[in-house]
Amino acid sequence: MHNENIRPESVVAQALGWIDETTRAINPPIHVSSTFLRDEDNQYRSGRVYMRDQNPAFDQAEAVITNLESGHETLLFASGMAAATAVFQGLRPGDHVLAPEVMYWSLRNWLMGFATGWGLDVELIDMTDPSAVQAAIRPGMTKLVWVETPANPLWTITDIAETAEIAHAAGALLAVDSTTATPVLTKPLELGADLVMHSATKYLNGHSDLTAGTVTTRGDNEHWQRVRAVRAQGGGTLGSFESWLLVRGLRTLYLRVRAASSAALAIAEHFDGHPLVAEVLYPGLPSSHGHEIAKRQMTGGFGGMLAIRATGGEDAAIAVAAHTKLWKRATSLGGVESLIEHRASVEGVGSPVPLDLLRLSAGIEHVDDLIADLEQALAKAHEQ
Ligand code: PLP
């Protein structure tokens, strides 16, 4: 694509407009070769030696995501967890790290288990409160501040620009898990973050048919080179077919995220104050945590993720999920189909999640059908 002013919707719809030079195909071929021919004079002029870290199938997805995030470079990984953990493994044992109390539970467990065992000094704090970040950060010792916004599964908001300033003043990098916001709604690197990570399993692919992860950097530096080495040597890379599927999914990113976002807002507004719902958690509600920051930081919507707390406690919440028909009872998020999950059943001991909380991932079905299904499930759960 040659027009610098082209809008991101157009960039992704055509996946940067790349054409396969050999066949003139407008969709990329799927390369499966694990190895590449060496030149007769012992050089590798193709620039590729071995597929683990140099798979041509990565190129287009990485280029599209770098463009969307206004970054310097993107790396694809085999899952969001492989991407996130590579950022932490790019640090050195002894480094101090700040992470949020409310964050994707599996990464929190990895940080408090594996990462601390490996030698990182991990401290969990209320990342939504800049004074708590300021109080916990150790200039010269803290090497990374990890933010997730909106944060799973309470959908609390962290001010990326303000947290980046605090991190940078102390000499730390700021990384943002932007899985829920997507580049459609938030551009962390433009707000001052150094790294942005996605579980591409979610919105970037959007069809619940692969696991993938990405990390994009604002610039090259020693830490980024170590992240690159973690991927190249650790080998947590994506397969060719999954890389191809990701490019296909990305083409409809804007349509899907906008549809999910407007459905989530309508659902949140409908159930806010509902007699069978104790609380709706959604950054798009003016009464919600971080709404003013979200209005500034997110453009064009507040995302497709929300949570409702059922009146009647844990049993009522589980019963609501049991009675839904259109909403599917399943973990994960960001697909075209709407999902409902009793989150505490997944997160277990140590989770900050209330027992009566149902996590909702709004899909692209008709929003009136989604609301009607929740209405009948709430009513049935309370008849019991
Ligand atoms: N970050 C967030 C916010 C997530 O929701 C998830 C998965 O649910 C991950 C990271 C991990 O991604 P993956 O499941 O692709 O490893």
Side-chain angles (χ1 to χ4, degrees), residues 79-82 104 148 152 177 179-180 197 199-202 211-212 332-333 359:
S79 66
M81 280 299 288
Y104 175 56
E148 184 181 322
N152 212 332
D177 180 341
T179 298
T180 302
M197 171 257 148
S199 165
T201 313
K202 319 299 184 198
T211 67
S332 201
L333 58 103
R359 188 178 82 170

Side-chain angles (χ1 to χ4, degrees), residues 24-264:
R24 309 301 288 159
I26 61 168
N27 279 302
I30 301 178
H31 290 279
V32 294
S33 183
S34 58
T35 191
F36 301 87
L37 193 65
R38 191 188 272 275
D39 301 331
E40 284 171 0
D41 61 358
N42 214 32
Q43 303 297 304
Y44 265 116
R45 287 190 189 75
S46 71
R48 298 185 202 272
V49 177
Y50 189 54
M51 188 197 239
R52 186 176 61 230
D53 189 43
Q54 296 168 338
N55 189 341
F58 301 161
D59 298 356
Q60 197 166 3
E62 290 181 344
V64 171
I65 294 162
T66 301
N67 183 295
L68 286 178
E69 291 290 6
S70 308
H72 166 70
E73 189 175 20
T74 297
L75 293 176
L76 287 191
F77 289 84
S79 66
M81 280 299 288
T85 55
V87 172
F88 290 98
Q89 286 175 311
L91 301 169
R92 294 174 195 279
D95 286 350
H96 179 242
V97 167
L98 293 178
E101 281 160 353
V102 178
M103 67 184 295
Y104 175 56
W105 71 288
S106 198
L107 184 57
R108 187 184 64 224
N109 286 351
W110 181 87
L111 283 171
M112 300 323 285
F114 183 90
T116 51
W118 181 66
L120 285 186
D121 181 1
V122 184
E123 204 176 327
L124 300 183
I125 59 165
D126 178 0
M127 197 60 76
T128 66
D129 176 5
S131 62
V133 184
Q134 191 71 68
I137 206 156
R138 301 181 205 156
M141 306 268 296
T142 308
K143 299 296 181 200
L144 184 78
V145 177
W146 184 267
V147 164
E148 184 181 322
T149 184
N152 212 332
L154 305 183
W155 316 116
T156 46
I157 298 291
T158 293
D159 187 326
I160 295 172
E162 192 169 357
T163 314
E165 262 181 45
I166 300 170
H168 293 159
L173 296 169
L174 185 89
V176 178
D177 180 341
S178 197
T179 298
T180 302
T182 81
V184 177
L185 305 176
T186 306
K187 302 285 285 284
L189 302 183
E190 290 181 357
L191 293 166
D194 302 284
L195 297 155
V196 56
M197 171 257 148
H198 293 278
S199 165
T201 313
K202 319 299 184 198
Y203 292 100
L204 294 190
N205 178 58
H207 293 77
S208 308
D209 53 10
L210 62 81
T211 67
T214 71
V215 186
T216 305
T217 184
R218 191 146 60 97
D220 198 4
N221 53 46
E222 195 201 331
H223 174 261
W224 181 248
Q225 287 309 320
R226 287 170 62 85
V227 173
R228 280 188 135 283
V230 170
R231 185 178 83 160
Q233 295 163 10
T237 51
L238 199 60
S240 298
F241 182 56
E242 287 74 13
S243 306
W244 182 90
L245 269 181
L246 178 55
V247 173
R248 191 181 67 162
L250 275 166
R251 292 176 191 267
T252 54
L253 179 71
Y254 277 79
L255 292 175
R256 290 183 286 98
V257 169
R258 284 179 180 151
S261 244
S262 82

